Structure formats: structure tokens, C-alpha cells
Amino acid sequence: MKQSCITIIGTGNIGSRHLQALCHLENPTRIDLVDPSDESLKIARDRYEEVTAPGKNDIMLHSHNNLDDLPDTLDLVIVATNSSVREKVIRDITNKCHVKNLILEKVLFQKAGQYTDVDSFLKNSSIPTWVNCWMRTTNLYKKIKSLLNHEEEIQMKVEGPQWGMGCISIHFMDLFSYLTNTGSFKFTENKLNSKVLAAKRAGYSEFFGCIAGQNSKGDTLELICYETGEESTTVKIRNGSNSYQITGLLGDVVLKTSSENENSTEDTSLPYQSQLTHIWANQILEKGSCDLPTYVESMPLHIELIRLFTDHIKKNTGKEIDTCPIT
């Protein structure tokens, strides 16, 4: 069987989790890791060894500090860098190698103009591209979608402390788009705290408060993030007389289902990144597509989120900016 070539660019926390998942690939695979930091490369390799079955030798790992020594043809490239350098990395890797497929981490870019520029570049390059908004790919949310009546209004509300509004909102926007079968979305309410705080990652910002909006069908999404608190974050989906509440965002979660005739509670789970990436890689390599949203689907949601946060920063700092410091 022909060996596949997969490259992960950026082997920090999320990149190393992609690598852990890829240890579950069953076909011969060459995986190239690219990161300027030797420490990040070592941590990624160590995490890979932690989860790889003893004696597994059909995956060959190669580490690099730059793009120079990669194979000429790459079946799949996962770009897991910070948003500030992602556009340059996409252009550099596709100019240097024949890239057949791309998976991009989110938030994609920090400037609205970058989205259309990269869209044109990817179309001209004919590279199928997906964005890692993973919630729609899980069995739990696929199940909930199958139960929804799309003739009735869908209301979705996310509420909890410190869940990372700056970088995680796009996940919920994508899930909302998936559940409602509607790509258009506009924020109509901004009740963010006036203070823009520094995120845990240096050079980036974090937001707290409430933002809400709706799609072209009138379905609504509300995102609430508190600055303090110990309770678990909940995702509530109301659809006519039925409602679904998921308590927890990863790992073990609780699903409460309510209808006119019945209420039920069940323990279930949502997978970690280290349990997902190999599934998408197999789908792409075998079928040419995967369950993630495409770049074209994700682009307008990203642009709307960037617009909201950029306008908020301008309003509360008095500074004219064209870069939204989220990653």
C-alpha cells in the first residue's frame, strides 16, 4: 500500500494533539512535524509516544524547524500555527510543495481582508480546505441535529465562566450553522464588558459578557461568558416544545432532554482533539472530503466574529485598528 504523507505545521498544544490522534492511522504514513521550536517538537514527539501502541512501526515521524526538507507532494497539511502567521504559512507551504488537502486551525486570521485573499488563493490553487470547527463532527451533536424540527425556530444559548469567548465562539457559531442548516449569521446584540483583557497567550485578547445574533431564518444564538465562576459551561438548544442541554464542553458531559411527554438525563461524552484528527484524515485520504466545515462555509462566520470584536476594541480603546488579536 502506498505511503501517505501528512504534515503538521505548528506543534504546540493543539498541534501535538493532532499528532496523538494520527497515531491511530492504520495505513503506512509519513508524518512531518514543522516548528521553529525544538522544545515544541520534542513535547509533540513525547506526547505521541505516550499514546502509541508498542511495536507500531507503520508511521514514520520526521521533525523540522522549517519547510525546506519536506516531501515534494503532501497528501494532507494541518496548519496549527497562531492566527498571526497562518496566512504566510499557507502561502509558503503551498508554493513550496504540492499540497493536496488542507486542514486549518481556527481562529483563521486576524484581519477581515485576509479571508477573501486566502479564499481566492485556495480556489486558484484548487486545494480542498477544511477548518477545525469539530463540534459538528461528533456523534452527540449529529444525534441532536437528527432530532430537530427545522420547521420550528431553533434557539441556542451557551453560558458559563471563562470558556474562552475570543477563541471558542467560532466553534459555537459553526455548531449553530450546522444545526440550523443555515450559513448566514449576523450579531445583533453586543453586551461585552467594556474592558478588553489580556488572554493567557501573550499578545492576544480575551472577552467577557454577552453577544447574540440570528441567521436568515430567525434562529437565534446567544453566547455568555462570565469572568469568574466555578460552574460548568452549558449549551442549551430549544426547538419548539423540545429542548436539549449539554453540561460540559469536553470529555464526560451530561445530556438532558426535555419534551412535552418525557424528560431524560444521560451521561455521554465529547471527544478530545487527540481522538478526532485521524478520523478526518482517513475520510479525506479515502473519500476526498470530511465532516469538518469547508473554508468557504467557515469564512463568513469568521468575518462576522472578527467584525464584532474589532468594533468592540475600537469603541472601548478609541484606537483605529484593523487587526483582531485572537487566535
Side-chain angles (χ1 to χ4, degrees):
M1 182 175 289
K2 179 180 176 290
Q3 183 186 64
S4 298
C5 290
I6 298 176
T7 295
I8 301 174
I9 305 177
T11 60
N13 183 53
I14 190 68
S16 67
R17 302 308 180 186
H18 284 301
L19 177 61
Q20 284 185 313
L22 294 179
C23 84
H24 300 297
L25 292 173
E26 296 180 354
N27 296 326
T29 308
R30 169 176 171 149
I31 301 177
D32 288 87
L33 310 176
V34 183
D35 198 293
S37 167
D38 288 331
E39 182 181 1
S40 290
L41 289 169
K42 182 182 183 305
I43 291 172
R45 278 181 165 272
D46 289 345
R47 286 178 174 172
Y48 175 82
E49 296 296 338
E50 287 172 7
V51 297
T52 302
K56 185 175 178 64
N57 57 10
D58 51 357
I59 293 179
M60 297 179 59
L61 280 186
H62 300 264
S63 299
H64 316 274
N65 293 125
N66 54 57
L67 306 177
D68 291 343
D69 297 321
L70 295 174
D72 293 335
T73 298
L74 305 175
D75 296 295
L76 173 63
V77 174
I78 300 170
V79 181
T81 63
N82 291 338
S83 57
S84 59
V85 298
R86 189 167 291 123
E87 179 184 4
K88 183 179 186 306
V89 168
I90 292 169
R91 292 181 183 273
D92 287 349
I93 187 66
T94 53
N95 286 331
K96 193 166 194 61
C97 305
H98 174 211
V99 177
K100 293 185 177 181
N101 300 280
L102 277 168
I103 292 177
L104 306 178
E105 269 305 325
K106 38 48 61 194
V107 171
L108 285 166
F109 315 111
Q110 297 183 343
K111 297 182 180 181
Q114 290 179 286
Y115 290 87
T116 51
D117 289 347
V118 173
D119 182 43
S120 298
F121 178 78
L122 293 173
K123 286 176 178 174
N124 291 335
S125 304
S126 300
I127 303 174
T129 304
W130 295 268
V131 178
N132 185 16
C133 290
W134 57 269
M135 290 182 178
R136 65 163 64 199
T137 75
T138 63
N139 291 334
L140 175 58
Y141 285 117
K142 286 181 178 180
K143 172 186 173 182
I144 290 174
K145 180 173 181 174
S146 73
L147 299 172
L148 296 177
N149 176 4
H150 288 89
E151 300 301 315
E152 297 264 13
E153 181 181 335
I154 296 171
Q155 299 171 316
M156 178 172 154
K157 180 179 181 180
V158 180
E159 185 173 16
Q162 298 178 315
W163 50 259
M165 181 173 268
C167 62
I168 304 297
S169 289
I170 193 65
H171 279 300
F172 295 121
M173 294 169 70
D174 179 76
L175 177 62
F176 177 73
S177 175
Y178 167 73
L179 293 175
T180 61
N181 290 325
T182 306
S184 63
F185 180 81
K186 186 80 173 174
F187 282 111
T188 56
E189 187 175 335
N190 177 351
K191 293 183 179 177
L192 291 172
N193 297 357
S194 58
K195 193 184 212 178
V196 178
L197 300 177
K200 292 178 182 178
R201 185 171 292 179
Y204 297 94
S205 296
E206 192 49 272
F207 303 86
F208 297 94
C210 172
I211 51 179
Q214 63 182 36
N215 63 20
S216 57
K217 296 194 303 182
D219 303 313
T220 59
L221 172 66
E222 185 177 14
L223 304 176
I224 303 171
C225 186
Y226 302 116
E227 197 170 339
T228 59
E230 299 296 328
E231 63 273 20
S232 297
T233 296
T234 59
V235 179
K236 299 175 183 177
I237 300 158
R238 182 174 294 279
N239 177 225
S241 58
N242 298 328
S243 65
Y244 310 89
Q245 177 176 302
I246 302 91
T247 302
L249 297 179
L250 283 170
D252 295 333
V253 302
V254 176
L255 171 64
K256 291 183 179 179
T257 303
S258 300
S259 66
E260 289 180 337
N261 305 317
E262 185 180 2
N263 295 324
S264 66
T265 300
E266 64 176 288
D267 294 327
T268 183
S269 64
L270 283 166
Y272 292 94
Q273 189 66 65
S274 57
Q275 300 169 306
L276 287 170
T277 313
H278 63 294
I279 299 172
W280 311 328
N282 276 328
Q283 291 173 340
I284 290 169
L285 296 175
E286 293 175 8
K287 303 175 185 177
S289 64
C290 74
D291 291 339
L292 290 170
T294 65
Y295 181 90
V296 171
E297 289 173 318
S298 193
M299 178 173 68
L301 298 178
H302 271 81
I303 291 173
E304 177 62 6
L305 185 65
I306 292 290
R307 179 198 66 77
L308 177 88
F309 285 146
T310 303
D311 287 350
H312 181 72
I313 293 171
K314 286 179 182 177
K315 177 182 175 183
N316 288 283
T317 64
K319 297 177 181 177
E320 275 300 316
I321 62 168
D322 65 352
T323 299
C324 185
I326 56 176
T327 192

